[in-house]
Amino acid sequence: MCSSDLDALVDAMGPQDRLAVVAFASGAEVLRPRGDSAELTNMTPENRQQWHARLHGLESGGGTDMLSGLSEAVRLAEASEGRSTRILLVTDGVPNTEVGLDTLAREAAATATPLTAVGIGEGYNERLLTTRSEEHTSELQSHSDLVCRLLLEK
């Protein structure tokens, strides 16, 4: 996703909305605004500014540990009881390994949390992401279609 897409998503969130970001490359890390210890942060004006800076600072590299990234995202979604949640998986779709992804995708589907996979880059693995979509009531979107749809759902 380009930075303007990420900016649009952050800006569309209201003060009652919460955001969690899991970055994954050679491992997975839950990102937080500076000074905030919560994994899910309310979208206060201060946090919104910090999220913009934090997301603009993301860099690719080190591999695609999709299993760890998705596992952290499912854990965070399960911790959001009573709230509407969505997992947005932005990836090149070329994981270090596909082992365990089917099981984890089924666990994600059992949480009733929609999983939207966004393929980025010229060579993202559409077969992998589409298979997960068809089998586990998720969806595959191009990044521009997704941003428009998420903003309209708000």
Side-chain angles (χ1 to χ4, degrees):
M1 293 180 90
C2 64
S3 59
S4 62
D5 293 335
L6 294 172
D7 286 337
L9 287 171
V10 168
D11 289 339
M13 297 179 77
Q16 76 286 356
D17 294 329
R18 298 184 305 166
L19 177 65
V21 174
V22 178
F24 57 97
S26 57
E29 173 190 8
V30 179
L31 303 180
R32 298 171 176 84
R34 188 181 62 236
D36 197 326
S37 62
E39 291 182 318
L40 287 158
T41 56
N42 290 321
M43 293 305 287
T44 64
E46 181 180 314
N47 282 346
R48 186 181 312 277
Q49 274 187 317
Q50 289 190 31
W51 273 120
H52 282 298
R54 193 73 205 252
L55 293 172
H56 281 265
L58 283 177
E59 294 181 10
S60 63
T64 306
D65 189 354
M66 192 182 298
L67 186 63
S68 293
L70 187 54
S71 179
E72 276 295 298
V74 169
R75 183 186 64 76
L76 289 166
E78 289 174 339
S80 296
E81 276 185 52
R83 294 186 69 119
S84 177
T85 58
R86 172 179 297 276
I87 296 173
L88 174 61
L89 178 67
V90 181
T91 179
D92 63 4
V94 184
N96 296 344
T97 179
E98 292 184 26
V99 174
L101 284 174
D102 283 332
T103 301
L104 187 56
R106 279 191 290 280
E107 290 173 16
T111 69
T113 298
L115 168 61
T116 302
V118 180
I120 59 172
E122 292 294 316
Y124 72 86
N125 187 338
E126 186 172 353
R127 179 203 55 80
L128 172 71
L129 299 178
T130 303
T131 299
R132 298 306 176 276
S133 300
E134 292 169 354
E135 292 176 0
H136 308 296
T137 65
S138 301
E139 54 195 315
L140 173 65
Q141 300 279 326
S142 72
H143 73 270
S144 56
D145 291 343
L146 173 72
V147 170
C148 291
R149 191 174 58 73
L150 288 179
L151 292 176
L152 291 173
E153 283 180 1
K154 179 123 175 78

